[in-house]
Amino acid sequence: MKVVINASPLIFLAKLDKLDVLEIYEEVYSTPEVISEIVAGVELGYKDALLVKKLADEEKIRQVKVEKDLEEYEELLKLHRGEISTLLAARELGLKHVIVDDKRAIKAAKYLGLKPRSTPFILLEALRKKKLSGVEFKSAMERLVDAGYRISPKLYTRILQKAEDIQK
């Protein structure tokens, strides 16, 4: 499966030191808007930004430029340029899956006929594909929340239950 990923999931996976879970995908794409947003953090000394930059420099995250005018969609969708570029890149590449965390971006992705996945579900998929152990998954979920990831207690519990089901 090929995916296009936005900034937030990249940043959170980097904070967890779990960028390697992206290896579960055949190809990972992002856009120059997303990568430059993250790389701006390198000058501020953010380790997670440096980790993402390294992946982009090594072309483990392939950058694709969106052909459509992002400003037109900013007003229409009320999203940031990075999120818009992520959704449009998926459409232009003919891909179905996008990795986004923002609720509005998730809704917009569905509206555009895309299948959005968020950071916790990427971790869950990594568990399913045995890229993470059960202990690593649970620890990653706890650290994700500690790192400031917003998730409802109900969804958090549901994800942990899915993880248990996968391990049975």
Side-chain angles (χ1 to χ4, degrees), residues 10 19 28 30-32 34-36 38-40 42 47-63:
L10 283 169
L19 282 166
V28 178
S30 197
T31 65
V34 168
I35 299 301
S36 65
I38 295 169
V39 170
V42 171
K47 178 186 169 200
D48 48 38
L50 195 56
L51 294 172
V52 174
K53 181 183 181 320
K54 183 175 185 265
L55 277 186
D57 289 347
E58 293 171 353
E59 295 186 8
K60 291 183 180 175
I61 299 172
R62 299 178 60 190
Q63 292 187 56

Side-chain angles (χ1 to χ4, degrees), residues 76-94:
L76 178 68
L77 298 174
K78 306 282 191 241
L79 295 172
H80 297 286
R81 291 179 74 81
E83 293 159 339
I84 293 167
S85 69
T86 298
L87 301 179
L88 293 179
R91 298 265 325 256
E92 289 179 10
L93 290 169

Side-chain angles (χ1 to χ4, degrees), residues 19-34:
L19 282 166
D20 62 325
V21 302
L22 293 174
E23 293 170 7
I24 64 175
Y25 298 108
E26 182 182 341
E27 289 183 26
V28 178
Y29 296 93
S30 197
T31 65
E33 290 81 7
V34 168

Side-chain angles (χ1 to χ4, degrees), residues 135-146:
V135 171
E136 289 171 318
F137 173 82
K138 189 161 174 40
S139 171
M141 285 299 295
E142 289 169 0
R143 290 184 300 131
L144 185 62
V145 172
D146 289 345

Side-chain angles (χ1 to χ4, degrees), residues 72-116:
E72 177 184 328
Y73 286 88
E74 275 181 295
E75 189 61 35
L76 178 68
L77 298 174
K78 306 282 191 241
L79 295 172
H80 297 286
R81 291 179 74 81
E83 293 159 339
I84 293 167
S85 69
T86 298
L87 301 179
L88 293 179
R91 298 265 325 256
E92 289 179 10
L93 290 169
L95 303 180
K96 285 284 182 200
H97 296 92
V98 291
I99 304 173
V100 294
D101 285 328
D102 180 82
K103 284 183 182 181
R104 253 186 221 202
I106 290 169
K107 285 181 183 178
K110 289 177 182 177
Y111 175 77
L112 294 171
L114 301 169
K115 295 180 180 180

